[in-house]
Amino acid sequence: MPYSESEQAYLTRLGHRLRSLRKQRGLSQEALAFEADLDRTYVSSVERGERNIAVLNLAKLARALGVEVSVLLGSEE
Amino acid sequence: MPYSESEQAYLTRLGHRLRSLRKQRGLSQEALAFEADLDRTYVSSVERGERNIAVLNLAKLARALGVEVSVLLGSEE
């Protein structure tokens, strides 16, 4: 496990938020990946909190979901 | 140049926002890097828009600046 406990918690929350936003829109991982020009397996691993995703990929996912990146990141205390 | 024009513009805006927040707090790059547990040269390259920074490093910088990550990212249209 390359991440500290709090880092892993951060990535897990981000992944849950991504999954929730995707499902709200009725999109499959494949459909979201296509819209965002990313690989489906990559989207899947982000949703599982396994990726320390870079900001340009966050921006791609946010654009594909029609939200700002800050919505994807949510409010962190 | 590994980034598209719009991607580079995104990273450049992010870098400017980081620099602005840092200066508002009267912090040197070195002081911010120390607080965020990052390298000064890394902080410098992020400020110049040269890094597709990963979300956990964004979180470290935001914490060191006392803002949420969304403030660092700003409102993107």
Side-chain angles (χ1 to χ4, degrees), chain A residues 3 7 10-11 14 52-60 68-70 73-76, chain B residues 3 7 10-11 14 52-60 68-70 73-76:
Chain A
Y3 306 121
E7 286 178 335
Y10 187 97
L11 296 181
L14 171 58
N52 185 7
I53 183 173
V55 69
L56 291 178
N57 282 345
L58 277 177
K60 283 181 172 184
E68 298 203 359
V69 176
S70 58
L73 293 173
S75 269
E76 310 293 339
Chain B
Y3 306 121
E7 286 178 334
Y10 188 97
L11 296 180
L14 170 59
N52 185 7
I53 183 173
V55 69
L56 291 177
N57 283 345
L58 276 177
K60 284 180 171 184
E68 299 203 359
V69 175
S70 58
L73 292 174
S75 270
E76 309 292 340

PDB file of all heavy atoms in Angstrom, chain A residues 3 7 10-11 14 52-60 68-70 73-76, chain B residues 3 7 10-11 14 52-60 68-70 73-76:
ATOM      1  N   TYR A   3       0.090   4.400  -0.033  1.00  0.00           N
ATOM      2  CA  TYR A   3      -0.475   5.628   0.521  1.00  0.00           C
ATOM      3  C   TYR A   3      -0.642   5.522   2.030  1.00  0.00           C
ATOM      4  O   TYR A   3      -0.861   4.439   2.565  1.00  0.00           O
ATOM      5  CB  TYR A   3      -1.842   5.918  -0.112  1.00  0.00           C
ATOM      6  CG  TYR A   3      -1.813   5.952  -1.619  1.00  0.00           C
ATOM      7  CD1 TYR A   3      -2.591   5.089  -2.370  1.00  0.00           C
ATOM      8  CD2 TYR A   3      -0.984   6.845  -2.291  1.00  0.00           C
ATOM      9  CE1 TYR A   3      -2.563   5.115  -3.753  1.00  0.00           C
ATOM     10  CE2 TYR A   3      -0.939   6.868  -3.678  1.00  0.00           C
ATOM     11  CZ  TYR A   3      -1.731   6.001  -4.403  1.00  0.00           C
ATOM     12  OH  TYR A   3      -1.689   6.026  -5.765  1.00  0.00           O
ATOM     13  N   GLU A   7      -4.296   9.477   3.211  1.00  0.00           N
ATOM     14  CA  GLU A   7      -4.252   9.628   1.747  1.00  0.00           C
ATOM     15  C   GLU A   7      -5.190   8.618   1.083  1.00  0.00           C
ATOM     16  O   GLU A   7      -5.920   8.952   0.156  1.00  0.00           O
ATOM     17  CB  GLU A   7      -2.824   9.442   1.236  1.00  0.00           C
ATOM     18  CG  GLU A   7      -1.929  10.639   1.541  1.00  0.00           C
ATOM     19  CD  GLU A   7      -0.499  10.437   1.068  1.00  0.00           C
ATOM     20  OE1 GLU A   7      -0.055   9.276   0.949  1.00  0.00           O
ATOM     21  OE2 GLU A   7       0.180  11.444   0.824  1.00  0.00           O
ATOM     22  N   TYR A  10      -8.668   9.717   1.414  1.00  0.00           N
ATOM     23  CA  TYR A  10      -8.957  10.811   0.479  1.00  0.00           C
ATOM     24  C   TYR A  10      -9.287  10.245  -0.908  1.00  0.00           C
ATOM     25  O   TYR A  10     -10.280  10.622  -1.538  1.00  0.00           O
ATOM     26  CB  TYR A  10      -7.744  11.743   0.401  1.00  0.00           C
ATOM     27  CG  TYR A  10      -7.963  13.003  -0.391  1.00  0.00           C
ATOM     28  CD1 TYR A  10      -8.295  14.196   0.231  1.00  0.00           C
ATOM     29  CD2 TYR A  10      -7.834  13.011  -1.784  1.00  0.00           C
ATOM     30  CE1 TYR A  10      -8.496  15.357  -0.501  1.00  0.00           C
ATOM     31  CE2 TYR A  10      -8.040  14.157  -2.516  1.00  0.00           C
ATOM     32  CZ  TYR A  10      -8.361  15.335  -1.865  1.00  0.00           C
ATOM     33  OH  TYR A  10      -8.566  16.472  -2.595  1.00  0.00           O
ATOM     34  N   LEU A  11      -8.444   9.311  -1.373  1.00  0.00           N
ATOM     35  CA  LEU A  11      -8.653   8.723  -2.704  1.00  0.00           C
ATOM     36  C   LEU A  11      -9.931   7.889  -2.753  1.00  0.00           C
ATOM     37  O   LEU A  11     -10.630   7.867  -3.772  1.00  0.00           O
ATOM     38  CB  LEU A  11      -7.445   7.858  -3.094  1.00  0.00           C
ATOM     39  CG  LEU A  11      -6.118   8.602  -3.265  1.00  0.00           C
ATOM     40  CD1 LEU A  11      -5.022   7.623  -3.665  1.00  0.00           C
ATOM     41  CD2 LEU A  11      -6.235   9.732  -4.290  1.00  0.00           C
ATOM     42  N   LEU A  14     -12.849  10.286  -3.009  1.00  0.00           N
ATOM     43  CA  LEU A  14     -12.893  10.799  -4.378  1.00  0.00           C
ATOM     44  C   LEU A  14     -13.501   9.762  -5.322  1.00  0.00           C
ATOM     45  O   LEU A  14     -14.349  10.078  -6.171  1.00  0.00           O
ATOM     46  CB  LEU A  14     -11.472  11.177  -4.822  1.00  0.00           C
ATOM     47  CG  LEU A  14     -11.262  11.532  -6.295  1.00  0.00           C
ATOM     48  CD1 LEU A  14     -12.135  12.696  -6.719  1.00  0.00           C
ATOM     49  CD2 LEU A  14      -9.790  11.857  -6.557  1.00  0.00           C
ATOM     50  N   ASN A  52      -3.809   7.909  -7.668  1.00  0.00           N
ATOM     51  CA  ASN A  52      -3.500   9.285  -7.299  1.00  0.00           C
ATOM     52  C   ASN A  52      -3.613  10.100  -8.592  1.00  0.00           C
ATOM     53  O   ASN A  52      -2.621  10.506  -9.196  1.00  0.00           O
ATOM     54  CB  ASN A  52      -2.091   9.341  -6.712  1.00  0.00           C
ATOM     55  CG  ASN A  52      -1.726  10.713  -6.202  1.00  0.00           C
ATOM     56  OD1 ASN A  52      -2.563  11.613  -6.161  1.00  0.00           O
ATOM     57  ND2 ASN A  52      -0.468  10.871  -5.823  1.00  0.00           N
ATOM     58  N   ILE A  53      -4.838  10.333  -8.996  1.00  0.00           N
ATOM     59  CA  ILE A  53      -5.152  10.872 -10.329  1.00  0.00           C
ATOM     60  C   ILE A  53      -4.582  12.280 -10.521  1.00  0.00           C
ATOM     61  O   ILE A  53      -4.598  13.098  -9.604  1.00  0.00           O
ATOM     62  CB  ILE A  53      -6.691  10.847 -10.552  1.00  0.00           C
ATOM     63  CG1 ILE A  53      -7.076  11.329 -11.953  1.00  0.00           C
ATOM     64  CG2 ILE A  53      -7.424  11.641  -9.467  1.00  0.00           C
ATOM     65  CD1 ILE A  53      -8.573  11.161 -12.256  1.00  0.00           C
ATOM     66  N   ALA A  54      -4.083  12.532 -11.713  1.00  0.00           N
ATOM     67  CA  ALA A  54      -3.502  13.841 -12.014  1.00  0.00           C
ATOM     68  C   ALA A  54      -4.596  14.817 -12.436  1.00  0.00           C
ATOM     69  O   ALA A  54      -5.673  14.420 -12.903  1.00  0.00           O
ATOM     70  CB  ALA A  54      -2.464  13.710 -13.131  1.00  0.00           C
ATOM     71  N   VAL A  55      -4.293  16.085 -12.253  1.00  0.00           N
ATOM     72  CA  VAL A  55      -5.319  17.125 -12.371  1.00  0.00           C
ATOM     73  C   VAL A  55      -5.932  17.204 -13.775  1.00  0.00           C
ATOM     74  O   VAL A  55      -7.134  17.481 -13.911  1.00  0.00           O
ATOM     75  CB  VAL A  55      -4.763  18.489 -11.892  1.00  0.00           C
ATOM     76  CG1 VAL A  55      -3.712  19.039 -12.848  1.00  0.00           C
ATOM     77  CG2 VAL A  55      -5.867  19.491 -11.681  1.00  0.00           C
ATOM     78  N   LEU A  56      -5.163  16.924 -14.813  1.00  0.00           N
ATOM     79  CA  LEU A  56      -5.743  17.006 -16.163  1.00  0.00           C
ATOM     80  C   LEU A  56      -6.748  15.877 -16.402  1.00  0.00           C
ATOM     81  O   LEU A  56      -7.721  16.066 -17.139  1.00  0.00           O
ATOM     82  CB  LEU A  56      -4.648  16.991 -17.233  1.00  0.00           C
ATOM     83  CG  LEU A  56      -3.775  18.250 -17.281  1.00  0.00           C
ATOM     84  CD1 LEU A  56      -2.689  18.090 -18.343  1.00  0.00           C
ATOM     85  CD2 LEU A  56      -4.586  19.507 -17.542  1.00  0.00           C
ATOM     86  N   ASN A  57      -6.526  14.723 -15.774  1.00  0.00           N
ATOM     87  CA  ASN A  57      -7.513  13.650 -15.893  1.00  0.00           C
ATOM     88  C   ASN A  57      -8.753  13.947 -15.049  1.00  0.00           C
ATOM     89  O   ASN A  57      -9.880  13.632 -15.447  1.00  0.00           O
ATOM     90  CB  ASN A  57      -6.900  12.293 -15.523  1.00  0.00           C
ATOM     91  CG  ASN A  57      -6.043  11.734 -16.644  1.00  0.00           C
ATOM     92  OD1 ASN A  57      -6.118  12.200 -17.788  1.00  0.00           O
ATOM     93  ND2 ASN A  57      -5.218  10.755 -16.339  1.00  0.00           N
ATOM     94  N   LEU A  58      -8.551  14.579 -13.889  1.00  0.00           N
ATOM     95  CA  LEU A  58      -9.699  15.061 -13.104  1.00  0.00           C
ATOM     96  C   LEU A  58     -10.532  16.018 -13.946  1.00  0.00           C
ATOM     97  O   LEU A  58     -11.772  15.953 -13.948  1.00  0.00           O
ATOM     98  CB  LEU A  58      -9.224  15.813 -11.853  1.00  0.00           C
ATOM     99  CG  LEU A  58      -8.863  15.008 -10.613  1.00  0.00           C
ATOM    100  CD1 LEU A  58      -8.347  15.956  -9.538  1.00  0.00           C
ATOM    101  CD2 LEU A  58     -10.053  14.209 -10.096  1.00  0.00           C
ATOM    102  N   ALA A  59      -9.855  16.907 -14.648  1.00  0.00           N
ATOM    103  CA  ALA A  59     -10.560  17.896 -15.478  1.00  0.00           C
ATOM    104  C   ALA A  59     -11.337  17.208 -16.599  1.00  0.00           C
ATOM    105  O   ALA A  59     -12.461  17.600 -16.925  1.00  0.00           O
ATOM    106  CB  ALA A  59      -9.569  18.913 -16.042  1.00  0.00           C
ATOM    107  N   LYS A  60     -10.755  16.171 -17.188  1.00  0.00           N
ATOM    108  CA  LYS A  60     -11.455  15.424 -18.248  1.00  0.00           C
ATOM    109  C   LYS A  60     -12.722  14.758 -17.703  1.00  0.00           C
ATOM    110  O   LYS A  60     -13.780  14.787 -18.345  1.00  0.00           O
ATOM    111  CB  LYS A  60     -10.547  14.324 -18.818  1.00  0.00           C
ATOM    112  CG  LYS A  60      -9.478  14.824 -19.772  1.00  0.00           C
ATOM    113  CD  LYS A  60      -8.670  13.615 -20.270  1.00  0.00           C
ATOM    114  CE  LYS A  60      -7.702  14.001 -21.365  1.00  0.00           C
ATOM    115  NZ  LYS A  60      -7.001  12.813 -21.912  1.00  0.00           N
ATOM    116  N   GLU A  68     -17.870  20.994 -12.236  1.00  0.00           N
ATOM    117  CA  GLU A  68     -16.535  21.539 -12.038  1.00  0.00           C
ATOM    118  C   GLU A  68     -15.702  20.524 -11.265  1.00  0.00           C
ATOM    119  O   GLU A  68     -16.239  19.683 -10.535  1.00  0.00           O
ATOM    120  CB  GLU A  68     -16.615  22.854 -11.259  1.00  0.00           C
ATOM    121  CG  GLU A  68     -17.409  23.894 -12.032  1.00  0.00           C
ATOM    122  CD  GLU A  68     -17.063  25.314 -11.626  1.00  0.00           C
ATOM    123  OE1 GLU A  68     -16.221  25.501 -10.729  1.00  0.00           O
ATOM    124  OE2 GLU A  68     -17.642  26.235 -12.219  1.00  0.00           O
ATOM    125  N   VAL A  69     -14.389  20.633 -11.436  1.00  0.00           N
ATOM    126  CA  VAL A  69     -13.496  19.705 -10.742  1.00  0.00           C
ATOM    127  C   VAL A  69     -13.742  19.750  -9.236  1.00  0.00           C
ATOM    128  O   VAL A  69     -13.679  18.726  -8.550  1.00  0.00           O
ATOM    129  CB  VAL A  69     -12.018  20.033 -11.054  1.00  0.00           C
ATOM    130  CG1 VAL A  69     -11.088  19.130 -10.255  1.00  0.00           C
ATOM    131  CG2 VAL A  69     -11.735  19.853 -12.536  1.00  0.00           C
ATOM    132  N   SER A  70     -14.070  20.925  -8.733  1.00  0.00           N
ATOM    133  CA  SER A  70     -14.282  21.064  -7.289  1.00  0.00           C
ATOM    134  C   SER A  70     -15.456  20.209  -6.811  1.00  0.00           C
ATOM    135  O   SER A  70     -15.469  19.751  -5.676  1.00  0.00           O
ATOM    136  CB  SER A  70     -14.491  22.530  -6.910  1.00  0.00           C
ATOM    137  OG  SER A  70     -15.590  23.053  -7.607  1.00  0.00           O
ATOM    138  N   LEU A  73     -14.121  16.791  -6.399  1.00  0.00           N
ATOM    139  CA  LEU A  73     -13.283  16.689  -5.200  1.00  0.00           C
ATOM    140  C   LEU A  73     -14.106  16.818  -3.931  1.00  0.00           C
ATOM    141  O   LEU A  73     -13.715  16.296  -2.888  1.00  0.00           O
ATOM    142  CB  LEU A  73     -12.195  17.766  -5.226  1.00  0.00           C
ATOM    143  CG  LEU A  73     -11.157  17.587  -6.322  1.00  0.00           C
ATOM    144  CD1 LEU A  73     -10.228  18.775  -6.374  1.00  0.00           C
ATOM    145  CD2 LEU A  73     -10.371  16.296  -6.100  1.00  0.00           C
ATOM    146  N   GLY A  74     -15.229  17.528  -4.018  1.00  0.00           N
ATOM    147  CA  GLY A  74     -16.079  17.686  -2.852  1.00  0.00           C
ATOM    148  C   GLY A  74     -15.445  18.578  -1.807  1.00  0.00           C
ATOM    149  O   GLY A  74     -14.361  19.112  -2.007  1.00  0.00           O
ATOM    150  N   SER A  75     -16.119  18.719  -0.707  1.00  0.00           N
ATOM    151  CA  SER A  75     -15.599  19.514   0.400  1.00  0.00           C
ATOM    152  C   SER A  75     -14.789  18.621   1.309  1.00  0.00           C
ATOM    153  O   SER A  75     -15.311  17.663   1.863  1.00  0.00           O
ATOM    154  CB  SER A  75     -16.744  20.140   1.208  1.00  0.00           C
ATOM    155  OG  SER A  75     -17.040  21.395   0.702  1.00  0.00           O
ATOM    156  N   GLU A  76     -13.516  18.917   1.401  1.00  0.00           N
ATOM    157  CA  GLU A  76     -12.668  18.188   2.345  1.00  0.00           C
ATOM    158  C   GLU A  76     -12.459  19.095   3.543  1.00  0.00           C
ATOM    159  O   GLU A  76     -12.283  20.287   3.390  1.00  0.00           O
ATOM    160  CB  GLU A  76     -11.323  17.865   1.692  1.00  0.00           C
ATOM    161  CG  GLU A  76     -11.444  17.209   0.328  1.00  0.00           C
ATOM    162  CD  GLU A  76     -12.042  15.811   0.396  1.00  0.00           C
ATOM    163  OE1 GLU A  76     -12.005  15.204   1.464  1.00  0.00           O
ATOM    164  OE2 GLU A  76     -12.555  15.334  -0.626  1.00  0.00           O
TER     165      GLU A  76
ATOM    166  N   TYR B   3       1.460  18.793 -23.618  1.00  0.00           N
ATOM    167  CA  TYR B   3       0.061  19.108 -23.337  1.00  0.00           C
ATOM    168  C   TYR B   3      -0.583  19.838 -24.511  1.00  0.00           C
ATOM    169  O   TYR B   3       0.077  20.580 -25.232  1.00  0.00           O
ATOM    170  CB  TYR B   3      -0.048  19.983 -22.072  1.00  0.00           C
ATOM    171  CG  TYR B   3       0.635  19.389 -20.877  1.00  0.00           C
ATOM    172  CD1 TYR B   3       1.660  20.071 -20.229  1.00  0.00           C
ATOM    173  CD2 TYR B   3       0.265  18.129 -20.392  1.00  0.00           C
ATOM    174  CE1 TYR B   3       2.296  19.514 -19.127  1.00  0.00           C
ATOM    175  CE2 TYR B   3       0.896  17.568 -19.299  1.00  0.00           C
ATOM    176  CZ  TYR B   3       1.922  18.274 -18.672  1.00  0.00           C
ATOM    177  OH  TYR B   3       2.555  17.715 -17.595  1.00  0.00           O
ATOM    178  N   GLU B   7      -5.001  22.278 -22.235  1.00  0.00           N
ATOM    179  CA  GLU B   7      -4.440  21.656 -21.031  1.00  0.00           C
ATOM    180  C   GLU B   7      -3.338  22.531 -20.442  1.00  0.00           C
ATOM    181  O   GLU B   7      -3.271  22.734 -19.224  1.00  0.00           O
ATOM    182  CB  GLU B   7      -3.879  20.266 -21.361  1.00  0.00           C
ATOM    183  CG  GLU B   7      -4.973  19.225 -21.586  1.00  0.00           C
ATOM    184  CD  GLU B   7      -4.422  17.860 -21.948  1.00  0.00           C
ATOM    185  OE1 GLU B   7      -3.298  17.785 -22.503  1.00  0.00           O
ATOM    186  OE2 GLU B   7      -5.112  16.862 -21.696  1.00  0.00           O
ATOM    187  N   TYR B  10      -4.821  25.372 -18.655  1.00  0.00           N
ATOM    188  CA  TYR B  10      -5.365  24.940 -17.357  1.00  0.00           C
ATOM    189  C   TYR B  10      -4.246  24.878 -16.310  1.00  0.00           C
ATOM    190  O   TYR B  10      -4.384  25.398 -15.197  1.00  0.00           O
ATOM    191  CB  TYR B  10      -6.022  23.565 -17.522  1.00  0.00           C
ATOM    192  CG  TYR B  10      -6.777  23.077 -16.315  1.00  0.00           C
ATOM    193  CD1 TYR B  10      -8.153  23.233 -16.198  1.00  0.00           C
ATOM    194  CD2 TYR B  10      -6.115  22.429 -15.266  1.00  0.00           C
ATOM    195  CE1 TYR B  10      -8.850  22.782 -15.097  1.00  0.00           C
ATOM    196  CE2 TYR B  10      -6.803  21.970 -14.155  1.00  0.00           C
ATOM    197  CZ  TYR B  10      -8.166  22.148 -14.074  1.00  0.00           C
ATOM    198  OH  TYR B  10      -8.852  21.698 -12.972  1.00  0.00           O
ATOM    199  N   LEU B  11      -3.130  24.242 -16.678  1.00  0.00           N
ATOM    200  CA  LEU B  11      -2.008  24.110 -15.734  1.00  0.00           C
ATOM    201  C   LEU B  11      -1.396  25.470 -15.408  1.00  0.00           C
ATOM    202  O   LEU B  11      -0.957  25.701 -14.284  1.00  0.00           O
ATOM    203  CB  LEU B  11      -0.945  23.170 -16.314  1.00  0.00           C
ATOM    204  CG  LEU B  11      -1.384  21.717 -16.527  1.00  0.00           C
ATOM    205  CD1 LEU B  11      -0.228  20.900 -17.102  1.00  0.00           C
ATOM    206  CD2 LEU B  11      -1.893  21.089 -15.237  1.00  0.00           C
ATOM    207  N   LEU B  14      -3.668  27.204 -12.945  1.00  0.00           N
ATOM    208  CA  LEU B  14      -3.482  26.577 -11.634  1.00  0.00           C
ATOM    209  C   LEU B  14      -2.187  27.070 -10.981  1.00  0.00           C
ATOM    210  O   LEU B  14      -2.156  27.400  -9.786  1.00  0.00           O
ATOM    211  CB  LEU B  14      -3.460  25.046 -11.811  1.00  0.00           C
ATOM    212  CG  LEU B  14      -3.057  24.201 -10.609  1.00  0.00           C
ATOM    213  CD1 LEU B  14      -3.972  24.444  -9.415  1.00  0.00           C
ATOM    214  CD2 LEU B  14      -3.083  22.721 -10.973  1.00  0.00           C
ATOM    215  N   ASN B  52       1.560  18.261 -14.363  1.00  0.00           N
ATOM    216  CA  ASN B  52       0.208  17.698 -14.297  1.00  0.00           C
ATOM    217  C   ASN B  52       0.090  17.071 -12.903  1.00  0.00           C
ATOM    218  O   ASN B  52       0.133  15.859 -12.734  1.00  0.00           O
ATOM    219  CB  ASN B  52       0.029  16.668 -15.409  1.00  0.00           C
ATOM    220  CG  ASN B  52      -1.383  16.126 -15.471  1.00  0.00           C
ATOM    221  OD1 ASN B  52      -2.282  16.602 -14.774  1.00  0.00           O
ATOM    222  ND2 ASN B  52      -1.573  15.113 -16.300  1.00  0.00           N
ATOM    223  N   ILE B  53      -0.048  17.933 -11.916  1.00  0.00           N
ATOM    224  CA  ILE B  53       0.064  17.553 -10.502  1.00  0.00           C
ATOM    225  C   ILE B  53      -1.017  16.540 -10.098  1.00  0.00           C
ATOM    226  O   ILE B  53      -2.165  16.651 -10.533  1.00  0.00           O
ATOM    227  CB  ILE B  53       0.017  18.827  -9.614  1.00  0.00           C
ATOM    228  CG1 ILE B  53       0.210  18.498  -8.135  1.00  0.00           C
ATOM    229  CG2 ILE B  53      -1.262  19.613  -9.856  1.00  0.00           C
ATOM    230  CD1 ILE B  53       0.343  19.744  -7.256  1.00  0.00           C
ATOM    231  N   ALA B  54      -0.620  15.585  -9.285  1.00  0.00           N
ATOM    232  CA  ALA B  54      -1.559  14.556  -8.825  1.00  0.00           C
ATOM    233  C   ALA B  54      -2.342  15.065  -7.617  1.00  0.00           C
ATOM    234  O   ALA B  54      -1.909  15.968  -6.882  1.00  0.00           O
ATOM    235  CB  ALA B  54      -0.821  13.272  -8.475  1.00  0.00           C
ATOM    236  N   VAL B  55      -3.515  14.471  -7.414  1.00  0.00           N
ATOM    237  CA  VAL B  55      -4.480  15.006  -6.454  1.00  0.00           C
ATOM    238  C   VAL B  55      -3.944  15.004  -5.019  1.00  0.00           C
ATOM    239  O   VAL B  55      -4.255  15.925  -4.250  1.00  0.00           O
ATOM    240  CB  VAL B  55      -5.835  14.273  -6.593  1.00  0.00           C
ATOM    241  CG1 VAL B  55      -5.758  12.830  -6.133  1.00  0.00           C
ATOM    242  CG2 VAL B  55      -6.939  15.015  -5.862  1.00  0.00           C
ATOM    243  N   LEU B  56      -3.133  14.019  -4.649  1.00  0.00           N
ATOM    244  CA  LEU B  56      -2.627  14.009  -3.271  1.00  0.00           C
ATOM    245  C   LEU B  56      -1.627  15.142  -3.032  1.00  0.00           C
ATOM    246  O   LEU B  56      -1.540  15.666  -1.916  1.00  0.00           O
ATOM    247  CB  LEU B  56      -1.993  12.653  -2.929  1.00  0.00           C
ATOM    248  CG  LEU B  56      -2.977  11.480  -2.834  1.00  0.00           C
ATOM    249  CD1 LEU B  56      -2.220  10.172  -2.559  1.00  0.00           C
ATOM    250  CD2 LEU B  56      -4.034  11.715  -1.756  1.00  0.00           C
ATOM    251  N   ASN B  57      -0.898  15.540  -4.064  1.00  0.00           N
ATOM    252  CA  ASN B  57      -0.006  16.692  -3.906  1.00  0.00           C
ATOM    253  C   ASN B  57      -0.797  18.001  -3.890  1.00  0.00           C
ATOM    254  O   ASN B  57      -0.450  18.936  -3.168  1.00  0.00           O
ATOM    255  CB  ASN B  57       1.068  16.707  -4.993  1.00  0.00           C
ATOM    256  CG  ASN B  57       2.179  15.705  -4.714  1.00  0.00           C
ATOM    257  OD1 ASN B  57       2.301  15.206  -3.598  1.00  0.00           O
ATOM    258  ND2 ASN B  57       2.977  15.407  -5.721  1.00  0.00           N
ATOM    259  N   LEU B  58      -1.863  18.055  -4.671  1.00  0.00           N
ATOM    260  CA  LEU B  58      -2.774  19.208  -4.580  1.00  0.00           C
ATOM    261  C   LEU B  58      -3.305  19.333  -3.155  1.00  0.00           C
ATOM    262  O   LEU B  58      -3.377  20.437  -2.603  1.00  0.00           O
ATOM    263  CB  LEU B  58      -3.971  19.026  -5.526  1.00  0.00           C
ATOM    264  CG  LEU B  58      -3.817  19.411  -6.983  1.00  0.00           C
ATOM    265  CD1 LEU B  58      -5.102  19.061  -7.724  1.00  0.00           C
ATOM    266  CD2 LEU B  58      -3.518  20.896  -7.131  1.00  0.00           C
ATOM    267  N   ALA B  59      -3.679  18.197  -2.580  1.00  0.00           N
ATOM    268  CA  ALA B  59      -4.229  18.206  -1.218  1.00  0.00           C
ATOM    269  C   ALA B  59      -3.181  18.683  -0.212  1.00  0.00           C
ATOM    270  O   ALA B  59      -3.492  19.440   0.716  1.00  0.00           O
ATOM    271  CB  ALA B  59      -4.742  16.817  -0.850  1.00  0.00           C
ATOM    272  N   LYS B  60      -1.929  18.274  -0.405  1.00  0.00           N
ATOM    273  CA  LYS B  60      -0.853  18.727   0.494  1.00  0.00           C
ATOM    274  C   LYS B  60      -0.658  20.239   0.405  1.00  0.00           C
ATOM    275  O   LYS B  60      -0.498  20.928   1.421  1.00  0.00           O
ATOM    276  CB  LYS B  60       0.473  18.045   0.120  1.00  0.00           C
ATOM    277  CG  LYS B  60       0.598  16.607   0.546  1.00  0.00           C
ATOM    278  CD  LYS B  60       1.972  16.081   0.113  1.00  0.00           C
ATOM    279  CE  LYS B  60       2.251  14.705   0.710  1.00  0.00           C
ATOM    280  NZ  LYS B  60       3.615  14.249   0.358  1.00  0.00           N
ATOM    281  N   GLU B  68      -9.221  24.877   0.801  1.00  0.00           N
ATOM    282  CA  GLU B  68      -9.649  23.616   0.214  1.00  0.00           C
ATOM    283  C   GLU B  68      -9.045  23.481  -1.187  1.00  0.00           C
ATOM    284  O   GLU B  68      -8.706  24.479  -1.833  1.00  0.00           O
ATOM    285  CB  GLU B  68     -11.179  23.561   0.131  1.00  0.00           C
ATOM    286  CG  GLU B  68     -11.809  23.664   1.510  1.00  0.00           C
ATOM    287  CD  GLU B  68     -13.191  23.081   1.585  1.00  0.00           C
ATOM    288  OE1 GLU B  68     -13.696  22.601   0.541  1.00  0.00           O
ATOM    289  OE2 GLU B  68     -13.755  23.077   2.681  1.00  0.00           O
ATOM    290  N   VAL B  69      -8.922  22.249  -1.622  1.00  0.00           N
ATOM    291  CA  VAL B  69      -8.348  22.001  -2.947  1.00  0.00           C
ATOM    292  C   VAL B  69      -9.125  22.767  -4.020  1.00  0.00           C
ATOM    293  O   VAL B  69      -8.543  23.275  -4.976  1.00  0.00           O
ATOM    294  CB  VAL B  69      -8.334  20.487  -3.271  1.00  0.00           C
ATOM    295  CG1 VAL B  69      -7.852  20.242  -4.690  1.00  0.00           C
ATOM    296  CG2 VAL B  69      -7.446  19.745  -2.290  1.00  0.00           C
ATOM    297  N   SER B  70     -10.440  22.859  -3.820  1.00  0.00           N
ATOM    298  CA  SER B  70     -11.263  23.546  -4.829  1.00  0.00           C
ATOM    299  C   SER B  70     -10.859  25.011  -4.978  1.00  0.00           C
ATOM    300  O   SER B  70     -10.989  25.573  -6.050  1.00  0.00           O
ATOM    301  CB  SER B  70     -12.735  23.421  -4.483  1.00  0.00           C
ATOM    302  OG  SER B  70     -12.989  23.956  -3.213  1.00  0.00           O
ATOM    303  N   LEU B  73      -7.925  25.063  -7.211  1.00  0.00           N
ATOM    304  CA  LEU B  73      -8.306  24.799  -8.601  1.00  0.00           C
ATOM    305  C   LEU B  73      -9.104  25.941  -9.186  1.00  0.00           C
ATOM    306  O   LEU B  73      -9.092  26.155 -10.403  1.00  0.00           O
ATOM    307  CB  LEU B  73      -9.128  23.506  -8.694  1.00  0.00           C
ATOM    308  CG  LEU B  73      -8.338  22.241  -8.383  1.00  0.00           C
ATOM    309  CD1 LEU B  73      -9.262  21.043  -8.346  1.00  0.00           C
ATOM    310  CD2 LEU B  73      -7.232  22.032  -9.413  1.00  0.00           C
ATOM    311  N   GLY B  74      -9.798  26.681  -8.331  1.00  0.00           N
ATOM    312  CA  GLY B  74     -10.574  27.825  -8.801  1.00  0.00           C
ATOM    313  C   GLY B  74     -11.778  27.396  -9.593  1.00  0.00           C
ATOM    314  O   GLY B  74     -12.053  26.208  -9.753  1.00  0.00           O
ATOM    315  N   SER B  75     -12.521  28.358 -10.094  1.00  0.00           N
ATOM    316  CA  SER B  75     -13.693  28.074 -10.928  1.00  0.00           C
ATOM    317  C   SER B  75     -13.243  27.990 -12.368  1.00  0.00           C
ATOM    318  O   SER B  75     -12.731  28.946 -12.927  1.00  0.00           O
ATOM    319  CB  SER B  75     -14.733  29.177 -10.781  1.00  0.00           C
ATOM    320  OG  SER B  75     -15.598  28.866  -9.751  1.00  0.00           O
ATOM    321  N   GLU B  76     -13.441  26.825 -12.941  1.00  0.00           N
ATOM    322  CA  GLU B  76     -13.152  26.676 -14.362  1.00  0.00           C
ATOM    323  C   GLU B  76     -14.492  26.700 -15.082  1.00  0.00           C
ATOM    324  O   GLU B  76     -15.458  26.116 -14.616  1.00  0.00           O
ATOM    325  CB  GLU B  76     -12.447  25.346 -14.630  1.00  0.00           C
ATOM    326  CG  GLU B  76     -11.242  25.116 -13.718  1.00  0.00           C
ATOM    327  CD  GLU B  76     -10.104  26.080 -14.003  1.00  0.00           C
ATOM    328  OE1 GLU B  76     -10.072  26.657 -15.084  1.00  0.00           O
ATOM    329  OE2 GLU B  76      -9.248  26.249 -13.114  1.00  0.00           O
TER     330      GLU B  76
END
